[in-house]
Amino acid sequence: MRLITQVPGNGTQLADAPHSGHEKVRIVRAMVIPAHGPPEVLEYCEVPDPAPGPGEVLIRVAFAGVNFTDVRNRRGDGLGIPPMIPGIEVAGVVTGVGPGVADLAEGTAVTALTGGHSYAEMVACDARRVLPLPPGLVGDPVSATVMGVLPSALNLLRVAARARPDETMLIHGASGGVGTALVQAAAVLGLGPVHGTVSSPAKLQYAERYGFDGVHLRDGFVESLHAATGGRGVDVIFDPIGGEVRAHSFAALAPLGRLIHFGNASLEPEVVPPAVDLRARGLGYVGYSGGQHALFEFEAVRRTWIEALELVESGRVTIEVTRVLGLADAAEAHRLIESRSAVGKIVLAVD
Ligand SMILES: NC(=O)c1ccc[n+]([C@@H]2O[C@H](COP(=O)([O-])OP(=O)(O)OC[C@H]3O[C@@H](n4cnc5c(N)ncnc54)[C@H](OP(=O)(O)O)[C@@H]3O)[C@@H](O)[C@H]2O)c1
């Protein structure tokens, strides 16, 4: 197994560290993106053991959630710069506490939105992004994926769409992690009716289990939505796909509707609708990024992390982990997402 000595954000550079021969060189295993490329670039490596800095805790990772953003960081259409360890969310146990952390102790089972470095045996993380796990979720793979898609869904509905009761909504990518969280979050908030679109009959069957008022095949969705709404169209559309899907979506919006864009999975050029068209029908075109939102309103976003944990613990929202793979099989997890074969969430089991 290759030893990678320089992974930014992951401890000291071993090559430069003083090493008398008597010291124990502390290493852990991790999946590293050494360079942008296909899933095969992911490499199971030994890396420096991270240490918790001020305000951080060290977590021994039990499970790491796999997200679309990890795929983007690997491919090169995200913000990540190799060499890097992907992964933004984990569950595990606190094994170290940095200076200034008062409310988390060693031995506490936690879930965390780490922001990076999570496909690893150990990760250091800002303690404000770490929540103690209720006993019922400890050891459950879903514990690693509570703070990602569901808080995004809650904020997409409340902050980005400012959705009102009785507004009709449409969710593209209805069988995915965010899609299945969005329809359930809408039910919790008393919003809807909610429709969804998917790319295949198998995904349609999967999505239908989540309480949509209608799930439609992507082909011909504008006509299907007009048929389902008596020709009016929908008030709010959530679109993580972009390209042709987004361009057609404007035709499915009712007057005064809003199109919320929060991803561009298609990799097609970003859609920029003419302002005059938006004005003519009173349409809104609103962007959302959970990562950026936490920079603007940290405490408000932190409250949605706590809310999401309570919703999952109480069973009011189900986040289904459809595959659990080993850490060394991270490339397979990426293949499943990129080939659009995945539904629900994929989690890596680390220990
Ligand atoms: N802005 C934010 O805060 C935020 C937060 C989380 C996620 N996201 C974005 O939201 C999107 C969905 O995330 P997720 O966690 O729900 O991912 P996911 O579970 O992998 O779902 C992605 C969905 O996108 C659809 N899709 C369309 N074109 C695709 C393509 N070329 N490759 C792969 N999937 C494609 C797939 O549905 P069909 O096959 O039915 O089209 C799939 O269900 C991603 O674009 C992600 O970057 C944004």
Side-chain angles (χ1 to χ4, degrees):
M1 190 179 296
R2 188 154 76 106
L3 172 66
I4 295 197
T5 57
Q6 297 182 32
V7 186
N10 215 65
T12 50
Q13 298 180 1
L14 292 184
D16 301 336
H19 182 39
S20 67
H22 299 296
E23 303 158 39
K24 198 171 166 206
V25 176
R26 285 155 46 98
I27 53 166
V28 292
R29 275 169 294 182
M31 266 292 168
V32 175
I33 299 173
H36 291 312
E40 295 70 39
V41 299
L42 280 162
E43 187 179 345
Y44 201 34
C45 295
E46 292 177 325
V47 298
D49 192 1
E56 290 185 340
V57 294
L58 185 64
I59 300 170
R60 188 175 67 237
V61 179
F63 300 104
V66 181
N67 282 278
F68 206 90
T69 190
D70 310 341
V71 170
R72 296 180 57 213
N73 283 329
R74 195 213 69 235
R75 286 195 305 217
D77 55 292
L79 298 175
I81 301 169
M84 65 175 289
I85 299 170
I88 58 165
E89 54 179 1
V90 298
V93 174
V94 174
T95 59
V97 177
V101 177
D103 51 356
L104 285 167
E106 283 185 29
T108 308
V110 292
T111 182
L113 199 61
T114 59
H117 318 292
S118 292
Y119 291 11
E121 290 177 322
M122 306 290 284
V123 64
C125 176
D126 181 340
R128 298 172 307 158
R129 294 168 168 269
V130 178
L131 297 176
L133 272 176
L137 290 179
V138 176
D140 186 331
V142 82
S143 59
T145 187
V146 176
M147 290 170 70
V149 291
L150 183 53
S152 291
L154 291 163
N155 286 317
L156 280 162
L157 289 160
R158 286 196 190 113
V159 179
R162 302 180 192 194
R164 297 183 294 266
D166 299 324
E167 286 193 312
T168 304
M169 295 187 270
L170 173 66
I171 299 167
H172 289 308
S175 67
V178 177
T180 53
L182 258 172
V183 64
Q184 295 180 83
V188 166
L189 300 180
L191 302 169
V194 184
H195 293 259
T197 73
V198 290
S199 60
S200 70
K203 287 187 172 182
L204 190 142
Q205 224 175 2
Y206 180 83
E208 275 178 339
R209 295 164 34 195
Y210 284 88
F212 285 94
D213 293 277
V215 186
H216 311 264
L217 286 176
R218 186 85 30 70
D219 274 352
F221 77 89
V222 175
E223 293 74 19
S224 309
L225 264 299
H226 278 293
T229 57
R232 181 174 173 274
V234 298
D235 299 294
V236 180
I237 298 181
F238 295 99
D239 177 29
I241 298 176
E244 213 178 316
V245 173
R246 187 166 309 159
H248 285 129
S249 292
F250 288 99
L253 271 182
L256 307 178
R258 286 92 72 207
L259 196 159
I260 317 300
H261 56 101
F262 63 101
N264 194 45
S266 67
L267 289 180
E268 291 176 52
E270 289 285 359
V271 170
V272 185
V276 69
D277 290 356
L278 299 180
R279 274 204 302 281
R281 295 172 57 219
L283 302 182
Y285 189 41
V286 181
Y288 182 78
S289 156
Q292 293 300 111
H293 187 189
L295 299 180
F296 308 140
E297 295 188 316
F298 183 81
E299 286 306 325
V301 173
R302 189 171 192 278
R303 283 196 292 277
T304 62
W305 296 336
I306 296 166
E307 182 182 7
L309 187 57
E310 287 167 356
L311 286 171
V312 173
E313 184 199 8
S314 67
R316 292 181 73 197
V317 170
T318 301
I319 297 176
E320 194 188 6
V321 175
T322 49
R323 288 291 291 270
V324 180
L325 297 167
L327 177 60
D329 298 322
E332 175 60 9
H334 281 215
R335 269 183 226 110
L336 288 167
I337 289 174
E338 270 180 288
S339 64
R340 296 165 81 166
S341 313
V343 290
K345 293 294 302 178
I346 302 177
V347 165
L348 304 176
V350 177
D351 59 5

